[in-house]
Amino acid sequence: MLDIIRPDDRRYPGVRHVYTATGSPAAVIRPRSADEVAEALLWAREAGGPLSIRSGGHGLSSVSTNDGGTVIDLGELSSIERIDAGDGLVRIGPGARWGDVARALHPWGLAISSGDSGDVGVGGLATTAGVGLMGRAHGLTIDHIVAARIVTADGSIRTLDAEEEPDLFWAVRGAGANMGIVTSMDFRAAPVPMVAHATFHYGVPRLAPFLRSWGETVEAAPREIGAFLYMGGGEVVMASVVFAGEDTVAAEQAFAPFLKIGRVLGRRAVLTPYASVVTRTGAPHYGQQGAYLHNGFAVHLDGPLSKRLETLLGSQYGTMVQIRSVGGAVNDVPTEATAFAHRYQNFSVTAVAPGPSASFDAAWEFVRPSLDGLYLSFETAFSPQRLTDAFPPPTLQRLREIKRKVDPENVFNQNFPVA
Ligand SMILES: Cc1cc2nc3c(=O)[nH]c(=O)nc-3n(C[C@H](O)[C@H](O)[C@H](O)COP(=O)(O)OP(=O)(O)OC[C@H]3O[C@@H](n4cnc5c(N)ncnc54)[C@H](O)[C@@H]3O)c2cc1C
């Protein structure tokens, strides 16, 4: 029997909200198997109203809860198992969090590059891309997926891989939320016993020249290096840099150029399991993190982009800018191989404001001409233009053809709908 949590259930306060929003759904269903996911979907379609799919509840566009509709919460589908002894194949449920995945894989000497937060769920991240600190070494999270199981709008359970349903398998790796509900994924994890993790704090009186040097340093770094930069508007800028390997001499050499960018106020480097880079807080969700974001990719952090970001952060509108490295192994994968099509840029640039703001939108419009493409996981303002930024025309056309076949009634319409 389906576990359906309604507002009069004592468990309801624990499942109604997500990380970035409060919600008041009429029902939260917590399936325990793929069959129950299918049953829950048919139940929700019958009930009508908005339908939200939730894995970890850390989606930044807050679409994994709603008011008055149904949430299918995949938190119970969180197993992490090794399915082949020799080649790093693991099967993971969408409700697992990346921090738990990293902890489970470490004793096997394995890791999968995910994002920078261990609280983020597998389902949301692995259906869009997964821009992580080991991305230049090992690619996006979706590049590790070798098979997936999904419940489509008609309630059927399908297995996808390169041979079986290749179109849907392609679509799930970048636009999964449009296609159905992923109930498990098989990943080929990389052999990563340990990584070197450095954090740097820089004193940055002038952001534009610093960003140019940062960009050049990251692009020149060996592929083992993944580097994320976090700026909050003040003069202190924080960086998290991973060397995906355990050769400490090579790591030290790779970190050395990062000590020459501007004034280093603090530095620390440790050899550590990847699990300690993506730690999980496990905090309950109550809409604690209001988030309104814009994003774009950049090939280089060149002069015009650096100046524009300096202006944005100097204004009162953008409260935070984060620059994540991509490139390297991410760009070894052909553009047409997955529904995530951005395979030549070197950086993902995200600006964050505490809530919707026309002034922030206007300030971002000043930055956007320097950007190229968009990562939908870091964009909260959906529009037809943003859709084509996320999915270039050939990708969007193919997605629409697949969507027409598997979801003709546009049941999955909450997260960058392509229909
Ligand atoms: C603190 C923080 C740090 C982050 N850092 C990074 C980062 O470094 N790199 C990066 O790439 N991303 C990052 N993200 C973005 C993150 O990848 C997305 O927000 C992702 O959607 C969260 O996954 P979730 O399962 O927790 O989301 P949920 O809120 O559970 O889901 C969000 C949406 O994704 C879709 N979805 C979820 N599960 C499924 C499923 N099983 N099948 C089909 N569709 C599904 C649904 O449309 C759902 O509404 C970060 C987010 C946060 C909050």
Side-chain angles (χ1 to χ4, degrees):
M1 202 171 65
L2 284 178
D3 182 15
I4 304 176
I5 303 175
R6 299 175 198 271
D8 60 357
D9 191 306
R10 63 182 168 73
R11 297 172 297 165
Y12 183 76
V15 295
R16 61 185 293 187
H17 308 306
V18 290
Y19 183 55
T20 59
T22 55
S24 50
V28 178
I29 310 183
R30 293 189 41 99
R32 288 155 295 220
S33 64
D35 285 333
E36 282 198 357
V37 173
E39 204 183 321
L41 177 61
L42 298 179
W43 188 98
R45 291 195 64 179
E46 184 76 26
L51 169 63
S52 299
I53 309 305
R54 178 189 304 162
S55 285
H58 256 55
L60 288 159
S61 44
S62 313
V63 292
S64 57
T65 192
N66 61 51
D67 293 323
T70 305
V71 174
I72 299 181
D73 181 328
L74 304 161
E76 292 291 318
L77 301 182
S78 59
S79 60
I80 304 162
E81 345 156 32
R82 191 159 189 185
I83 53 174
D84 188 277
D87 58 356
L89 218 52
V90 290
R91 179 163 299 166
I92 305 180
R97 310 299 183 87
W98 285 106
D100 297 334
V101 173
R103 266 212 316 273
L105 266 51
H106 176 65
W108 301 326
L110 299 172
I112 301 170
S113 186
S114 51
D116 56 4
S117 160
D119 288 321
V120 162
V122 167
L125 181 132
T127 47
T128 52
V131 172
L133 278 157
M134 296 196 297
R136 291 177 81 243
H138 296 298
L140 299 170
T141 308
I142 57 168
D143 300 335
H144 294 267
I145 301 173
V146 296
R149 276 147 295 275
I150 186 170
V151 173
T152 46
D154 59 358
S156 59
I157 303 171
R158 306 178 189 217
T159 299
L160 323 175
D161 60 26
E163 270 86 46
E164 212 172 321
E165 307 232 34
D167 280 343
L168 200 47
F169 184 53
W170 170 85
V172 160
R173 290 171 296 152
N178 264 281
M179 302 298 157
I181 307 174
V182 172
T183 59
S184 73
M185 286 178 166
D186 298 348
F187 296 86
R188 192 172 313 283
V192 182
M194 299 286 265
V195 300
H197 182 209
T199 45
F200 301 106
H201 287 87
Y202 298 99
V204 181
R206 287 271 338 274
L207 193 63
F210 173 83
L211 286 180
R212 277 204 309 279
S213 306
W214 173 264
E216 285 161 14
T217 304
V218 172
E219 285 189 55
R223 278 175 171 228
E224 287 89 346
I225 288 286
F228 288 7
L229 194 65
Y230 306 88
M231 292 152 280
E235 285 201 5
V236 178
V237 166
M238 205 279 266
S240 179
V241 183
V242 159
F243 178 89
E246 54 181 353
D247 178 342
T248 48
V249 175
E252 228 177 299
Q253 276 168 7
F255 289 148
F258 288 89
L259 297 172
K260 297 188 186 128
I261 317 171
R263 194 157 62 95
V264 178
L265 302 177
R267 58 186 170 151
R268 178 173 180 271
V270 289
L271 190 66
T272 186
Y274 176 65
S276 78
V277 179
V278 285
T279 49
R280 184 174 169 193
T281 68
H285 290 155
Y286 52 92
Q288 60 264 53
Q289 184 60 62
Y292 186 72
L293 296 84
H294 292 311
N295 169 271
F297 287 103
V299 178
H300 307 296
L301 299 183
D302 59 13
L305 175 57
S306 301
K307 283 212 186 71
R308 286 168 172 175
L309 288 172
E310 181 181 74
T311 306
L312 175 75
L313 267 176
S315 75
Q316 66 212 51
Y317 308 122
T319 54
M320 217 193 322
V321 170
Q322 305 177 345
I323 300 183
R324 290 172 167 81
S325 59
V326 279
V330 173
N331 294 356
D332 290 344
V333 176
T335 301
E336 64 284 358
T338 59
F340 175 91
H342 306 290
R343 299 289 188 169
Y344 55 88
Q345 302 92 327
N346 288 304
F347 301 97
S348 155
V349 180
T350 307
V352 187
S357 142
S359 320
F360 174 61
D361 292 346
W364 181 252
E365 283 312 310
F366 173 69
V367 178
R368 197 187 297 284
S370 295
L371 299 170
D372 182 351
L374 177 147
Y375 181 27
L376 65 87
S377 278
F378 284 135
E379 178 64 59
T380 49
F382 176 78
S383 70
Q385 178 56 44
R386 299 293 78 84
L387 186 67
T388 51
D389 290 341
F391 302 116
T395 306
L396 188 56
Q397 192 186 333
R398 187 171 172 196
L399 280 173
R400 284 181 167 149
E401 282 160 16
I402 299 167
K403 175 88 171 170
R404 263 195 293 277
K405 287 184 198 146
V406 297
D407 185 14
E409 293 171 57
N410 198 19
V411 171
F412 300 105
N413 58 13
Q414 299 286 303
N415 192 350
F416 267 67
V418 298

